[in-house]
């Protein structure tokens, strides 16, 4: 039986465009018959795993997600004195371990050294591939078939253990994600607004040198994470200490790290205002139902206070109907100055 950790997070974002759609405007969703702003799970996960928080805590245990690894291999062999044509051929052979290479005729911008799909490469796999490239350059001969067996499951890559990976041509080396992340959405009705702006030419200050507009939105977002603690430890080959370290870094990231979209224009850096953590073997469930009816602030009651009340009421109602949906809970409330991130981390790790 799996042990689950569930996180329910409320974060207020000032005007921003953190996650854009295909037209460049903030992403939205229709929920409860009203329009909400939305931040995709993909955007959030990338922000977390590439953050300084993850790098400082887990640097040696982080993989790289890319389709351009062949370029690095090619450069390693070139630096090692390999013939340019041979280096390109051998780099493609090694890169093919991680996915289908693009056509060898597409050499503009080294496109032929790329694979078709993004692949999450484990640190041990990356080191082994670079070592093989150096060997090929030194002996002036390409990789042998046995040397191309670079994929491994015996690696402590925390980002892959958390968020999984899929290799279409090598399913034996796929990793099931131990952390599931929802799309964050505003707990209230929200609209995308337009910011009309102009820029002045410093050498010709009469009138506008440029005019334009960009979309933005603001709101209080609900985010839900479900962490399969049992699977996380399995993915890390039973390394409980590393799993605890990973959970600490994840909590730091989800409460402090914001997607990078248009941050130079809006500086919407936000810490979570409220977090409820739950633990237990019970079947996980989101508390998004609390916000089907949009939350409203009134009187002296803030939007965050109203959202917390709705969230906690929904949690208690689920417990009443289904029985206890968690064995234990821990709350951090920055608006009330209650709880702490340190205590929350200890609870999640315990």
């Amino acid at each position: 039986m799996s042990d689950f950790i569930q996180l329910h997070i409320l974060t207020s974002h000032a005007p921003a465009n953190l996650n854009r759609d295909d037209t460049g405007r903030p992403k939205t969703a229709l929920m409860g018959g009203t329009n909400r702003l939305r931040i995709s799970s993909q955007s959030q996960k990338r922000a977390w795993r590439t953050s300084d928080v993850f790098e400082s805590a887990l640097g040696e245990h982080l993989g790289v997600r890319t389709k351009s690894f062949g370029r690095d291999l090619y450069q390693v062999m070139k630096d090692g004195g390999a013939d340019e044509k041979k280096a390109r051929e051998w780099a493609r052979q090694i890169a093919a371990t991680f996915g289908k290479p693009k056509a060898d005729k597409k050499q503009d911008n080294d496109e032929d050294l790329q694979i078709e799909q993004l692949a999450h490469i484990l640190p041990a796999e990356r080191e082994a591939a670079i070592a093989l490239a150096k060997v090929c350059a030194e002996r002036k001969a390409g990789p042998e078939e046995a040397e191309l067996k670079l994929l491994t499951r015996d690696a402590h890559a925390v980002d892959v253990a958390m968020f999984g990976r899929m290799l279409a041509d090598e399913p034996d080396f796929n990793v099931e994600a131990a952390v599931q992340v929802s799309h964050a959405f505003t707990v209230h009705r929200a609209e995308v607004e337009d910011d009309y702006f102009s820029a002045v030419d410093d050498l010709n200050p009469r009138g506008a040198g440029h005019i334009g507009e960009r979309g933005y939105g603001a709101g209080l977002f609900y985010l839900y994470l479900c962490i399969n603690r049992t699977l996380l430890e399995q993915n890390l080959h039973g390394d409980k200490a590393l799993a605890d370290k990973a959970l600490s870094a994840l909590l730091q990231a989800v409460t402090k790290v914001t997607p990078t979209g248009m941050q130079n224009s809006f500086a919407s850096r936000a810490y979570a205002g409220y977090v409820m953590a739950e633990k237990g073997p019970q079947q996980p469930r989101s508390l998004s139902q609390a916000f089907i009816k949009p939350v409203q602030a009134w009187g002296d009651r803030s939007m965050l206070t109203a959202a917390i009340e709705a969230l906690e009421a929904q949690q208690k109602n689920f417990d009443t109907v289904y029985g206890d949906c968690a064995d234990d809970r821990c709350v951090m409330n920055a608006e009330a100055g209650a709880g702490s991130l340190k205590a929350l981390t200890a609870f999640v790790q315990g």
Side-chain angles (χ1 to χ4, degrees):
M1 180 178 290
S2 294
D3 286 318
F4 296 100
I5 301 165
Q6 299 179 81
L7 301 176
H8 309 274
I9 303 171
L10 295 170
T11 305
S12 178
H13 286 288
N17 188 344
L18 299 172
N19 186 207
R20 287 166 274 179
D21 64 16
D22 58 337
T23 68
R25 294 167 68 78
K27 290 185 175 180
T28 60
L30 187 66
M31 182 175 176
T34 61
N35 196 55
R36 316 291 181 95
L37 297 176
R38 175 173 63 91
I39 304 173
S40 73
S41 59
Q42 298 92 327
S43 172
Q44 293 171 110
K45 286 186 286 188
R46 172 167 172 74
W48 301 336
R49 68 179 180 80
T50 60
S51 67
D52 290 341
V53 169
F54 260 45
E55 179 62 33
S56 61
L58 304 164
E60 62 182 318
H61 299 292
L62 296 177
V64 59
R65 191 166 179 250
T66 182
K67 59 172 65 175
S68 304
F69 187 35
R71 294 177 181 174
D72 291 348
L73 299 171
Y74 167 74
Q75 192 60 51
V76 166
M77 285 186 274
K78 281 284 293 172
D79 291 344
D83 172 77
E84 182 175 346
K85 183 177 180 181
K86 290 296 184 182
R88 191 172 291 273
E89 176 188 341
W90 299 338
R92 283 174 51 82
Q93 291 176 20
I94 299 173
T97 301
F98 306 100
K100 181 181 178 181
K102 292 192 175 182
D104 58 2
K105 303 299 182 185
K106 298 181 178 179
Q107 295 190 7
D108 291 345
N109 298 317
D110 292 330
E111 191 174 349
D112 60 315
L113 297 176
Q114 298 183 21
I115 58 176
E116 293 287 352
Q117 304 292 334
L118 285 168
H120 214 143
I121 303 171
L122 307 183
E125 293 169 345
R126 186 171 185 274
E127 290 173 8
I130 290 175
L132 177 56
K134 291 179 179 178
V135 168
C136 290
E138 183 178 347
R139 72 187 180 196
K140 309 299 182 186
E144 298 176 3
E145 184 175 349
E147 294 175 320
L148 292 173
K149 298 185 183 299
L150 301 169
L151 295 176
T152 179
R153 292 181 63 89
D154 187 21
H156 291 64
V158 170
D159 48 350
V160 174
M162 284 184 175
F163 305 125
R165 78 167 175 179
M166 196 276 286
L167 299 172
D169 295 330
E170 295 287 350
D172 288 344
F173 297 95
N174 290 348
V175 179
E176 182 180 354
V179 179
Q180 299 172 342
V181 183
S182 76
H183 287 229
F185 63 88
T186 52
V187 302
H188 51 83
R189 179 178 177 274
E191 296 293 340
V192 176
E193 300 182 67
D194 291 311
D195 174 31
Y196 172 87
F197 66 92
S198 62
V200 176
D201 184 332
D202 290 345
L203 299 182
N204 183 19
R206 306 179 92 184
H210 172 78
I211 59 173
E213 64 178 38
R214 58 168 62 97
Y216 70 92
L220 177 62
F221 289 77
Y222 169 70
L223 170 65
Y224 169 71
L225 284 83
C226 176
I227 305 163
N228 186 330
R229 172 61 188 260
T230 305
L231 180 58
L232 179 62
E233 288 191 21
Q234 289 175 356
N235 286 349
L236 295 173
H237 306 284
D239 192 334
K240 185 180 184 301
L242 183 56
D244 283 342
K245 197 173 182 181
L247 288 170
S248 175
L250 182 63
L251 269 175
Q252 291 281 335
V254 301
T255 55
K256 296 180 179 180
V257 175
T258 303
T260 58
M262 289 196 176
Q263 285 288 7
N264 289 343
S265 297
F266 293 101
S268 184
R269 303 287 185 176
Y271 279 16
Y274 175 90
V275 182
M276 177 195 292
E278 302 179 299
K279 292 194 302 187
Q282 295 89 336
Q283 179 66 24
R285 85 285 174 256
S286 164
L287 294 176
S288 60
Q289 185 173 322
F291 308 115
I292 289 179
K293 179 180 179 181
V295 169
Q296 291 184 331
W298 52 270
D300 293 332
R301 189 178 69 159
S302 71
M303 183 73 74
L304 179 55
T305 297
I308 292 170
E309 291 175 358
L311 189 72
E312 293 181 345
Q314 186 62 61
Q315 171 257 304
K316 291 173 183 174
N317 288 342
F318 271 139
D319 280 4
T320 298
V321 173
Y322 290 101
D324 290 341
C325 295
D327 288 347
D328 202 3
R329 294 184 176 88
C330 181
V331 168
M332 180 183 78
N333 186 337
E335 181 163 83
S340 69
L341 185 56
K342 183 178 180 180
L344 197 69
T345 301
F347 173 82
V348 168
Q349 292 177 330

